[in-house]
Amino acid sequence: MEELKYRGKKREGRHRDTWDPFQLNPIGAEKEQKRICFRLAQYLVAIIVGLAVLTSAVVAKGSLLVLSTLSSPSSMRSPKERQFFMLMTVFCLVCPNFLVFMKSLWKCAFKSFVQPNIRTMGFICVIECLVSLGTSVLVLIVMPQFDVLTNLFISGGVCIVSSVMQIVFKLQREKWRIVFPVCSLILIIAGYGFLGADYYVRVSSFVDNQKDDCFIYIGVGILSSILVSLCWWENPLQASNNMKEVLSELDGFRDFVFVISSILRVLVIGAVYLIYYYLIKETIIWTDFELLNDEWEILQIGLGLFFLQAFCSAACHWFGVVACKIHAIRMSFALPISCTGPAVLLLGLILFLTSADELNESQQYNSIIEFCDSLASHNNKNYTSLVLLEITRSICRTSLNSSYMMWPFSMLALEGMCMWLGFITCTYYIWKTKVQRIERTSQLFIRRLYESAFIDLSLLLNTKIKVARARNQESHDDIENCVIYLCATMWHETYDEMLKILTSMFRLDRYRGDPKEEHKDCFDFECHIYVDDSYMVDKDSGNRLVNSYVNDLIQVVVEVYRVFTNKEPDDVSIIETPYGGRLMCVMPEGNMLYVHLKDKSLIRNKKRWSQIMYLYYLLGWKGYIVKNPQKIKRQNNPCRASLISLDGESFLLPQYDNDTKRNHISDDNTYIMALDGDTDFQPKALILLVDRLRMYNNVGAACGRIHPTGMGPMVWYQKFEYAVGHWLQKTAEHVFGSVLCSPGCFSLFRGSALMDDNVLKRYTTTATKASEYVQYDQGEDRWLCTLLLQQGWRVEYNAASDAYTNSPEEFKEFYNQRRRWGPSTLANTLDLLHSGAETVKRNSSISRLYIFYQMFTVGSSILGPASVSLMIAGAFQFVFKIPGTLSIVIAVIPPVFYILVCFFAKANAQITIAAIMSVLYAFLMTASFFSIIGDMVMQGTFITPTGIFLLSMTVMYLVTAVLHPEEFGMIVYGLMYFICIPSGYLLLTIYSLVNMHIVSWGTRESNKTETEVKKIDNLLCDKNCRICCWDMKLQVTQETENLMIQQITAAVGQSTQQPLLATNQDVIQQTASRVEPQRRLDNTKEESTFDEEYSDDDDDDDGGDSYPFGVDLEEREELPVSDWVQPVKEEFLKKLTFANLKRNLQEQIRYTLRKKQQDDVCEELVMMLTDTLNGELNGVGPEDILNDSQLEELQYALSEQARRILKTNRAERLDRRVKRAIEKTLTAPQVQRLDEGEYDFWVKVIDRYLKPIVESKEHKDEVTRELKSLRNKAVFLYFIVNVLWVVATFFLQAIGNDVISIKIPKYFANGSLSDDYLKVEPLSLMFLLSFAVLLFIQFLAMLYHRVYTLIHVVSYRSSEKDYKEKDDEDDEGMILENQIANGLIITSDDL
């Protein structure tokens, strides 16, 4: 209700100024709301992860301590049991090395292998052997000699080397922080001192008959701890930038080093175990490892502790990584890990007291010594009591069991306190560490390997020390600035579709905010819209004007601008270009919007050529001028042309700002966002894609989750098809290799990837062969991704990045769209498989297994028609009880019939017949579905191959939908998808293959072209008819025209066009040498390209005469313009009406003074200037446009009034800012020239790559023959493969199940076995199992991908205008807002 009142209040305000106060309000234009529930969910996830880290760390550390206690010579276990528990301890040390070995071996075998440097690898292997030696000696030899509390405390000494190196290299930004590593070193040394003192007391007071050989083990333990602490030697070195070459070289072959070092570590662990216990102690008896039946409990305890320790240590490492990635490094990582030691101590004391209470119930003890001496009599083998008893016994070995009361125990307590504080002070830097969203594990941790024996210390010491570096030093720790170019291609979009993309762009503008401020997401952006086929020839005047699509786009820009700001666009420029024209608009927050209007007579149209156009412009030209500013005259003295000075602030004009910022941004951080003209997205979706490219340097492109929108059965089918494709197929490609297609409607590309060899240059290839037409032009986004993959780049999928785009709602449009996509997909996949060996070498994301996976999926798609035909045959067999052989014959008749139809009938007839057959197939599939269920009911069991497959598919899709809660509703459309399987996988495949030779797009085609308008001028009949549910258009035209009428019409046309040519002759002569020489031939017939021969391109005939308003004749002579410029300018001149001026002035004043803490002055200015405006324009109507003299008088009156108000309020320093706002409000759209350098660029790039294609009739006929030949070959291949599959199944059916079949035991639903057997054909069972395995693999990939998607979503905390905090500047002083724009000169002209 409040929202309704708010909108009504705003409408009333508009109604006071105009009789047309009504406006559109597109969905999503409202401001971003605070997502309280989402934030609470983020904190909840962080708490859960923190608890998981703490729990797993406590269990892992406690399990190892229990194993060490059970294997101790002082325990009450038998030698055989101690030997077994010691073996489990060895396995605990081996387990993480085995995991790292498997992962590294996988990467070396299937990802990338770099030849190692023998010297560096040898150095690393020596260190790893020393670390393994220290770990195995400490855990296997020293710790069993000590009690459980000493073992808990002694591990804190493994940070001693890290503390020393921090002191030596002085890694602290503030000098006083060196006190932390110094204190750490002192505390560790003190802890070792207390350890020696404690055992001296034990020996001297004969605690538990402690022998003096313990001092040897203390010395060995200290030495072992120092060796273990060598494990993290890289951390201080990388932070201090020492051994930079060695470390960078090591990163290249680290996987291979881990393979070798893991083997060496395992060998060292085994050697220590065997040398000490087999050769020195001689306690290993091999026959003792054969456990008898009565010793099963021992095996259960040992294996249970081993699996707990191994699993929980790995889980702790993984949850620790997750905690860092979700920006919860303090709450969910540092705090739980730091509390692990105290938590284990607390848990041990609780168990000790619990055991003491249980044992004290039977007999009262007067002292703890008495209690400890009685433990030997309680030596039972109950599962829980065994562990509790040994822990209690181990604690009794401490000074707690001393006859000198309790004071010697304080030595042990001080030891533990010193060790824990030393560990905390050594890793103090973690509490101040800042991480990025989903930061790479290699940027979080130094080593992939974790030490399971010291899991808590290992995680903190392994966390990367991040030190602030100088700007000239390379660092991956800080988030890097990037520039994003949003590039939307438009082709005959409707008004509502344009509204979606413009709303999305303006949302991003509001999210980013002022480009002079630094957003926490560190990005700047520009919006570019490329409109194909933007011009038409007016029938009445013969002028070349923009068509109705461009007029709609201009209206959308104005409407969206008005919705977001409550005013009209301010800074609008119109520029003529060699490719047509350009509109330049400054968005409300200061970011730029460019609309490029393409004239198909000057530049190639269609989407791929628009992409080449903006890639060469944004990456080629703009990249060149930022690298060579001296080449451009404007860059040599930017002050006059591109720098404005206002109220003590100097900054670049918005259109030059990003070019200047890009001077300090590499091509790796320059991103191209490819969009369609109807895409709808939120800023969050774009930022999540940016994260993927920022974090992983080998990612060349990333795409999001595409949601089809629209109404009707075809859209319902596509909703589930898109959902399944993204849920399972896209995620499997992402996890196992690389995504093969990043859709052009919403994909982010890395600039350096597109500029790589054989990518953009190859992308400009003009199709000349039949296969090139199919691969290059029918699916340009898939071909571009294929080029990226072949060059070694990775393409990723982010499921949390949602985008919405219109999908075909009509059956014909859907079939024509998939007619393009199907052959293009197959052609590009086969191209990738053909170059598979070379691609595997270049691309670390693509392995041989992934190539095999793609081969399997391609084979499945090729066999799709035969599989669907056999499924239809099964439906006939179920529903009509027809024999198997006859059902196959009946099932293949419709596909064969449709193949013949597609070869001999026209396209529209093919689609009509396909629609009718799809409806019939849908009825059959519905009947088949219920027949399968009925058959399972009749047989009394669902445990059949078909039943299990159907049930498992249903369960799998339900689970998948549950894991996508926001998309769970898509499961409703699953039934529609099921009944349309024959249409989508049989009829559509046939239609796509047989019509492969047609290379027009078939979607968004206009109903008529310019030439067709002339053909249907004389209609004899024009009727719209409806037959059942089919709409038909009937037109009867006159076949021949009277020759005399033609001559008269031509004569009249020439006489009407001649005066126009005469009056504009001077203008044309002045512009012919620079701007569009072809426009003098607008009234002549244009050449059509090969693509246009098969498509229905439309130049709308809507247009009007040009009525120049308020433009001085002398100015026109100085800046001659084409016919289309003035009508476009008039659309933007509506901002100068009285109603719009009043609203614009109010909002402009408020926006200009929004940061000056002068709210009272601002509102007074708004009120008084509005009164002045009303007084000056008292006699002007609300829709009247002011002329130049009225604008000058109004500007003077407003400026004087503003000056008086500011003087009264003693705010004269705001005078220039307010005058600038007034001037901005009263400024008309500007007609500008293109820079000479850029003009020359466009002329050359068009001549080289984008010149309109003019093909001879002979060439077209030749290409048509090649396309049909390619079509015939593809159809023949498909036909033969599918026929062979069907024939094999037919003969198996004909031979009979009794002869060739696989007998499967039949089980009823209650689990009982039946006497009958299920007989299944081997071929069908093999295909069914293969398909099931493929889906199961995709399901597992989906689960993996879901987890990391959740991590990414939880880590996202950005919001609108989330600026970085910066120091307050003196408002009176001179501030250079563009601080990175070094070299700008502020001259007296600007001041």
Side-chain angles (χ1 to χ4, degrees), residues 868-895 920-921 923-925 927-929 931-932 982 986:
V868 174
S869 299
L870 294 175
M871 184 175 65
I872 299 299
F876 280 123
Q877 194 173 0
F878 271 122
V879 178
F880 302 109
K881 307 301 180 184
I882 301 175
T885 53
L886 182 59
S887 65
I888 293 177
V889 173
I890 296 174
V892 299
I893 291 176
L920 297 178
Y921 272 132
F923 284 120
L924 182 61
M925 291 297 294
S928 172
F929 176 74
S931 297
I932 293 173
L986 178 62

Side-chain angles (χ1 to χ4, degrees), residues 5-20:
K5 291 181 179 179
Y6 175 72
R7 293 204 303 267
K9 186 177 180 180
K10 289 182 65 176
R11 185 176 59 254
E12 288 179 6
R14 295 193 302 268
H15 208 171
R16 296 190 187 97
D17 303 323
T18 179
W19 51 265
D20 186 14

Side-chain angles (χ1 to χ4, degrees), residues 351-362:
L351 293 176
F352 174 76
L353 295 176
T354 303
S355 177
D357 288 340
E358 290 179 357
L359 297 176
N360 202 33
E361 290 179 358
S362 58

